[in-house]
């Protein structure tokens, strides 16, 4: 029988790419989303890409336990990939309670239902933000976590801990994952720490859909190139890096999606070395803001309007992954080049412009 994966937040940017890869890898998927930060554009794109018109979609809020419980009763769920969360760093500073309530409660509900319905495999969408600023680069999964500088970052750390503790406590419920109603069972957990996800599906049918002015670099670049924004501000060119701009590890969203499939397969096939595991998902390759801008111009054959402005508060100088654990244990490695990724990001922006 096909295994079924619940993708919470599956209509969003990363969730929609993961849904495509799961379906293409032969899994059944249930998408749950409250559409609080997206519409159905990407879900429709997922259907087109996969040629599957009957993907179950549940418009639910994971903060409502009754809704989550109902999903676990209606579907036999073998694994959950939990994306449903708020993710704007700046907004989280202004509205911490909104972030703590949403991001923590949705995970608590997923875990409660997972435990209650016979146990389940839960993959949590974490972030390299847990590492904070460090001189020891690249970061491995053993690198210490630093106190978070934003409530958003703190929710990622707290959620990792909630998952870890739940896995530990429920291990006593038995070693078999036995789906069944009202039957407490063990929860197994994986946290994937993403670096900077960028790009879009090569079909240009799904991609990032920021609401309002983008906070992140690549959507700001593509919106400037298409004429929606006047000028890109590069935040700081006086960092102690080769060209003075910050270094990040930009991971293609399709590569990132494939890492989820590899991690879910490891859980479902009983290949985990520990009941709770953590993997860095990055390329291992630092790229500066200026390099990214220059590559975008070159690969898409255009000129971008940009200027240097003062540093943005809270930005760290440099971070990139040591992805060797994911390569060794998951058999996963980032494949796409920055050029391919930036061409896909631009194709997606043009696709959106064509629809307006
Ligand atoms: C990348 C680089 C900026 C915009 C954030 C979150 C993290 C994660 C991903 C999300 C930095 C520079 C940016 C602009 C610029 N979580 N920049 N001009 O800050 O590395 O990570 O997003 O869900 O938790 O913190 O990503 O894309 O904002 O910035 O010069 O208009 O681009 O200074 O060096 P960041 P980013």
């Amino acid at each position: 029988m096909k295994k079924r994966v619940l993708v919470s937040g599956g209509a969003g940017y990363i969730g929609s790419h993961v849904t495509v890869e799961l379906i293409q890898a032969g899994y059944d998927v249930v998408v749950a989303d409250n559409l609080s930060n997206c519409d159905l554009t990407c879900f429709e794109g997922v259907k087109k890409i996969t040629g599957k018109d009957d993907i179950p979609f549940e418009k639910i809020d994971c903060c409502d336990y009754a809704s989550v419980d109902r999903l676990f009763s209606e579907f036999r769920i073998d694994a959950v990939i939990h994306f449903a969360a708020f993710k704007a760093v700046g907004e989280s500073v202004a509205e911490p309670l909104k972030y703590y309530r949403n991001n923590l409660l949705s995970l608590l509900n997923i875990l409660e239902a997972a435990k209650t319905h016979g146990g389940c495999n839960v993959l949590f969408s974490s972030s390299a933000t847990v590492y904070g600023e460090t001189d020891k680069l690249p970061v491995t999964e053993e690198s210490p976590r630093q106190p978070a500088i934003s409530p958003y970052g703190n929710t990622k750390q707290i959620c990792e801990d909630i998952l870890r503790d739940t896995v530990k406590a429920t291990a006593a419920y038995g070693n078999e994952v036995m789906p069944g109603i009202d039957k407490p069972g063990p929860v197994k957990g994986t946290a994937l720490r993403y670096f900077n996800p960028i790009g879009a599906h090569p079909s240009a049918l799904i991609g990032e859909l920021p609401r309002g002015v983008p906070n992140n670099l690549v959507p700001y670049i593509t919106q400037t190139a298409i004429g929606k924004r006047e000028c890109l501000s590069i935040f700081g060119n006086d960092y102690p890096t080769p060209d003075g701009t910050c270094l990040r590890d930009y991971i293609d969203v399709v590569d990132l999606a494939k890492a989820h499939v590899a991690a879910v397969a490891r859980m479902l096939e009983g290949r985990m070395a520990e009941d709770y595991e953590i993997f860095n998902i990055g390329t291992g390759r630092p790229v500066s803001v200026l390099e990214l801008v220059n590559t975008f111009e070159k690969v898409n054959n255009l000129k971008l309007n940009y200027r240097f402005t003062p540093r943005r508060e809270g930005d760290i100088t440099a971070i990139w992954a040591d992805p060797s654990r994911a390569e060794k244990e998951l058999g996963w490695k980032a494949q796409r080049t920055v050029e391919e990724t930036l061409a896909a990001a631009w194709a997606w922006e043009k696709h959106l412009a064509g629809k307006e």
Side-chain angles (χ1 to χ4, degrees):
M1 197 166 37
K2 272 186 168 185
K3 299 283 187 189
R4 185 181 285 109
V5 183
L6 168 62
V7 185
S8 80
Y13 173 43
I14 301 174
S16 58
H17 287 83
V18 168
T19 302
V20 166
E21 296 303 317
L22 286 168
I23 291 170
Q24 291 181 340
Y27 292 103
D28 278 336
V29 173
V30 183
V31 172
D33 206 301
N34 67 355
L35 302 179
S36 66
N37 195 33
C38 64
D39 56 24
L40 287 171
T41 306
C42 285
F43 186 65
E44 293 303 323
V46 169
K47 290 198 222 164
K48 278 202 193 116
I49 295 167
T50 58
K52 237 177 119 37
D53 218 27
D54 57 352
I55 306 164
F57 179 85
E58 299 279 336
K59 187 174 180 300
I60 65 153
D61 188 336
C62 292
C63 291
D64 175 39
Y65 184 70
S67 302
V68 178
D69 185 62
R70 179 185 59 76
L71 266 193
F72 274 79
S73 299
E74 269 178 31
F75 297 92
R76 188 206 74 251
I77 290 167
D78 300 294
V80 183
I81 303 183
H82 181 57
F83 293 108
F86 294 148
K87 61 167 187 176
V89 177
E91 186 188 41
S92 80
V93 176
E95 296 194 71
L97 296 179
K98 176 177 167 181
Y99 272 68
Y100 285 116
R101 179 174 293 114
N102 186 62
N103 293 7
L104 269 50
L105 190 53
S106 60
L107 178 70
L108 292 172
N109 286 341
I110 292 280
L111 292 175
E112 191 71 47
K115 180 187 87 168
T116 307
H117 290 265
C120 201
N121 299 291
V122 178
L123 191 157
F124 175 64
S125 166
S126 191
S127 168
T129 191
V130 301
Y131 295 119
E133 178 122 50
T134 171
D135 289 339
K136 288 202 178 132
L137 291 164
V139 289
T140 73
E141 292 81 355
E142 307 307 327
S143 301
R145 296 188 323 188
Q146 313 257 8
I149 51 169
S150 73
Y152 160 76
N154 205 18
T155 67
K156 291 296 174 195
Q157 299 206 9
I158 297 169
C159 284
E160 283 191 354
D161 293 347
I162 291 172
L163 178 57
R164 179 202 61 207
D165 293 348
T166 305
V167 167
K168 191 170 171 207
T170 60
Y173 295 168
N175 295 321
E176 295 293 309
V177 175
M178 292 178 297
I181 308 301
D182 294 326
K183 188 173 189 326
V187 173
K188 299 201 176 179
T190 300
L192 298 187
R193 291 178 176 160
Y194 315 152
F195 284 68
N196 287 57
I198 61 165
H201 195 267
S203 65
L205 291 170
I206 56 176
E208 197 166 359
L209 265 177
R211 290 205 165 157
V213 183
N215 295 308
N216 296 112
L217 179 59
V218 169
Y220 209 104
I221 290 176
T222 56
Q223 289 196 4
T224 305
I226 206 98
K228 268 194 198 165
R229 312 274 154 216
E230 224 168 85
C231 183
L232 168 77
S233 296
I234 296 186
F235 301 137
N237 62 348
D238 57 351
Y239 283 97
T241 60
D243 66 19
T245 66
C246 295
L247 297 171
R248 294 288 184 276
D249 185 334
Y250 295 96
I251 172 79
D252 183 276
V253 68
V254 176
D255 278 335
L256 175 66
K258 289 181 198 284
H260 290 75
V261 176
V264 158
R266 178 179 171 92
M267 299 178 98
L268 291 172
E269 292 161 16
R271 289 188 277 108
M272 296 176 83
E274 311 273 348
D275 290 347
Y276 172 64
E277 295 184 322
I278 300 171
F279 296 101
N280 282 344
I281 305 297
T283 65
R285 194 174 54 213
V287 173
S288 77
V289 176
L290 198 54
E291 275 178 277
L292 201 80
V293 167
N294 291 338
T295 308
F296 181 83
E297 292 185 319
K298 200 168 141 212
V299 73
N300 296 314
N301 197 23
L302 46 79
K303 279 277 157 230
L304 193 73
N305 197 14
Y306 69 85
R307 63 178 170 194
F308 295 106
T309 61
R311 294 179 178 194
R312 180 172 70 178
E313 202 188 314
D315 274 341
I316 61 174
T317 305
I319 187 157
W320 67 95
D322 176 343
S324 51
R325 184 189 282 180
E327 187 176 352
K328 182 162 167 271
E329 302 291 331
L330 299 178
W332 171 89
K333 197 175 182 333
Q335 301 291 336
R336 300 182 81 197
T337 62
V338 181
E339 285 80 3
E340 288 170 317
T341 305
L342 292 175
W346 180 228
W348 165 245
E349 189 68 62
K350 286 191 290 184
H351 169 82
L352 286 177
K355 285 175 47 171
E356 274 167 3

